Amino acid sequence: MSSPSDVLIVGASVGGLTVAQALRRKGYTGRIRLVGEEPHPPYDRPPLSKEILTGAWPASRAQLNLDGLDADLILGVRAVRLDLSAWQVHLDNGRRLPYGTLVIATGLSPRRLPTQQRLDGVHTFRTLDDALALGRDLRNAERIAVIGAGVLGCELAAAARALGRDVTLIDPASVPMAGQLGDQLGTLMASLHRRHDVKLRTGAGVATLTHVRGRVTGVALTDGSAVAADLAIVAIGSTPAIGWLAGSGLRLYDGIECDAYGRAGPGVYAVGDVARPLGSVRLENRANATEQAVTVAATILGDGRPYTPVAYFWTEQYDAKIQVYGTITAGSRLRLIEGQLDEERFVALAETGGTVTAAIGWNHPCGARSARQHLMKVPGKPVGQE
Amino acid sequence: MKIIIDQDKCVGGGQCVMAAPEVFDQRDSDGVVELLDATPPADQQEAVRDAVLFCPAAAIRLEER
């Protein structure tokens, strides 16, 4: 097994951290440096939109375990340039970090509305600081408009309802989470939110944010109607954080192009939300980040195998717990294998042209795991094409 | 090796059961992890370390000595 003398990891969230942990687990004793833009030590993002936002957990509960890591954490600094020929990463504090092996795990940046710049009362949601800031503002707000009914928008709507706020959920698709669940299960998601008194404005595009004296007052929709709000949350997806790599020579298009081993360039690897493996798709989920990180760690140590992901995501909203292995493609048929849709506890398979593309558990995690065996290894749907 | 699980963090993903089915199980009702063996024998320990890495909720911790 070959072993580099040092590994520099840019991105200190779960993807980058897991590379470091997997390297140590495989006996790597060389130097590991982990560079993170945020000032916080590595933490987990899924609880942010749930327990951290509602205040059920203190922020410290989202911290990830660093036992046995023996890595230099370089936090609160941003990588601003990659010089492939000099084998150096430039930081925003002027430092240049030479590397022998580089792992890029810089994740995503939330998309913003063109009109949201410099308005008070408008939030996007990605980081711990975003969660803490939104949590503070939610306590003083009455009417919340959540723009975007994907996984994040739905979870934020549920959290705002848990805090007793008046919530309107807005999305151009006809049902919430249409891109992730399809129309049939999206309809179930709509009734879940209605039952918890969320006002749904689906099938409605956002024209602009309305404001008075620099503070948001609501959302104007493309059908001419308006939603009054003293707080707006913009959850309309994310883009890969690759701006700092422009001109580096890496192949950049909807992420960092890499091969099935995560290799993106000489001595350079890509991991997690930012990585787009050739012949597959870029996945934005927690499980992919760790699995890809383990693959890349093995490749760095000369023991890599091609990574063939099975997409997996879960969401928790109110008392509902939904798990999806694989991808529910548009127009797929649902086949129930346990329970009934109207009982809101079931296991189902999504099928397209006779192929099972997803196993779904609705309040049925064990059933979803068992049903996973029906799944062929298929790439997920390209994100950004929902 | 001693395994410590945090059932409050568990999201029921089942990755631990897939990695080490002799050590981890899930409650039928809500999918939350249950430990079958908190101090697994040597031949299970690699699988348990996999489970720690793959857990999507970072809900498994090890005390190794």
Side-chain angles (χ1 to χ4, degrees), chain A residues 206-277:
Chain A
V206 170
T208 189
L209 296 172
T210 55
H211 50 93
V212 171
R213 286 186 295 278
R215 184 163 183 94
V216 69
T217 55
V219 184
L221 303 179
T222 47
D223 64 4
S225 65
V227 173
D230 51 356
L231 195 158
I233 307 171
V234 179
I236 54 173
S238 305
T239 51
I242 52 175
W244 67 285
L245 296 167
S248 65
L250 293 184
R251 294 175 65 91
L252 305 174
Y253 171 74
D254 182 39
I256 303 165
E257 185 179 293
C258 58
D259 67 11
Y261 297 82
R263 294 181 290 223
V268 181
Y269 301 82
V271 161
D273 294 343
V274 80
R276 188 172 55 79

Side-chain angles (χ1 to χ4, degrees), chain A residues 25 61 312 323 325 369, chain B residues 6 8-9 13 26 46 50:
Chain A
R25 189 189 146 203
R61 276 218 79 186
Y312 165 68
Q323 326 257 343
Y325 296 92
R369 172 172 51 80
Chain B
D6 186 336
D8 195 30
K9 278 191 176 176
Q26 287 177 275
E46 278 304 289
D50 275 341

Side-chain angles (χ1 to χ4, degrees), chain A residues 158-173:
Chain A
R161 281 300 301 138
L163 294 169
R165 298 296 170 264
D166 178 287
V167 177
T168 305
L169 183 56
I170 303 165
D171 196 281

Side-chain angles (χ1 to χ4, degrees), chain A residues 83-369:
Chain A
D83 187 339
L84 281 178
S85 55
W87 298 64
Q88 281 185 343
V89 170
H90 298 202
L91 304 180
D92 65 351
N93 62 5
R95 272 179 80 188
R96 296 181 178 190
L97 301 180
Y99 62 83
T101 298
L102 173 66
V103 177
I104 302 174
T106 41
L108 304 171
S109 307
R111 284 201 190 97
R112 290 164 199 277
L113 288 171
T115 49
Q116 81 180 73
Q117 301 304 327
R118 291 192 298 274
L119 280 187
D120 288 335
V122 183
H123 289 254
T124 52
F125 198 93
R126 174 75 183 167
T127 66
L128 176 58
D129 288 342
D130 291 342
L132 297 176
L134 178 59
R136 277 193 300 274
D137 278 10
L138 271 177
R139 276 155 187 82
N140 301 314
E142 287 172 13
R143 286 178 299 190
I144 319 299
V146 179
I147 300 169
V151 179
L152 179 62
C154 285
E155 290 183 351
L156 295 175
R161 281 300 301 138
L163 294 169
R165 298 296 170 264
D166 178 287
V167 177
T168 305
L169 183 56
I170 303 165
D171 196 281
S174 60
V175 290
M177 287 180 62
Q180 296 80 27
L181 294 177
D183 287 345
Q184 205 175 346
L185 295 178
T187 303
L188 215 51
M189 184 57 69
S191 56
L192 176 68
H193 281 275
R194 280 203 193 92
R195 199 164 63 239
H196 288 87
D197 297 321
V198 170
K199 294 166 192 144
L200 284 181
R201 295 299 306 271
T202 44
V206 170
T208 189
L209 296 172
T210 55
H211 50 93
V212 171
R213 286 186 295 278
R215 184 163 183 94
V216 69
T217 55
V219 184
L221 303 179
T222 47
D223 64 4
S225 65
V227 173
D230 51 356
L231 195 158
I233 307 171
V234 179
I236 54 173
S238 305
T239 51
I242 52 175
W244 67 285
L245 296 167
S248 65
L250 293 184
R251 294 175 65 91
L252 305 174
Y253 171 74
D254 182 39
I256 303 165
E257 185 179 293
C258 58
D259 67 11
Y261 297 82
R263 294 181 290 223
V268 181
Y269 301 82
V271 161
D273 294 343
V274 80
R276 188 172 55 79
L278 261 182
S280 182
V281 292
R282 192 171 63 75
L283 294 172
E284 295 179 357
N285 63 64
R286 172 66 169 79
N288 176 64
T290 45
E291 288 172 27
Q292 207 172 33
V294 171
T295 296
V296 161
T299 304
I300 289 170
L301 298 177
D303 187 29
R305 286 176 196 85
Y307 171 55
T308 50
V310 173
Y312 165 68
F313 79 89
W314 80 92
T315 181
E316 291 171 17
Q317 299 168 33
Y318 315 105
D319 50 0
K321 199 173 203 175
I322 297 150
Q323 326 257 343
V324 179
Y325 296 92
T327 304
I328 304 172
T329 52
S332 62
R333 279 188 53 241
L334 278 188
R335 177 155 62 93
L336 277 170
I337 54 177
E338 199 177 329
Q340 295 297 329
L341 289 192
D342 56 13
E343 292 167 1
E344 297 195 18
R345 176 172 159 86
F346 59 85
V347 183
L349 301 175
E351 297 178 327
T352 303
T355 303
V356 176
T357 64
I360 302 129
W362 199 287
N363 291 317
H364 211 317
C366 299
R369 172 172 51 80

Side-chain angles (χ1 to χ4, degrees), chain A residues 18 21-22 25 44 46 51 57 60-65 67 286-287 290-291 294 312 314 316 321 323 325 345 363-366 369 372, chain B residues 6 8-15 17-18 25-32 45-47 49-50 53-58 60-62:
Chain A
T18 304
Q21 289 170 328
R25 189 189 146 203
D44 212 8
E51 294 89 349
W57 291 1
S60 58
R61 276 218 79 186
Q63 267 185 27
L64 290 163
N65 186 3
D67 289 353
R286 172 66 169 79
T290 45
E291 288 172 27
V294 171
Y312 165 68
W314 80 92
E316 291 171 17
K321 199 173 203 175
Q323 326 257 343
Y325 296 92
R345 176 172 159 86
N363 291 317
H364 211 317
C366 299
R369 172 172 51 80
R372 190 180 182 274
Chain B
D6 186 336
D8 195 30
K9 278 191 176 176
C10 176
V11 298
Q15 271 83 350
V17 182
M18 291 186 265
D25 199 2
Q26 287 177 275
R27 281 200 301 243
D28 273 341
S29 56
D30 58 5
V32 167
Q45 295 188 358
E46 278 304 289
R49 291 187 192 102
D50 275 341
L53 277 183
F54 290 125
C55 173
I60 311 169
R61 210 157 53 79
L62 299 181

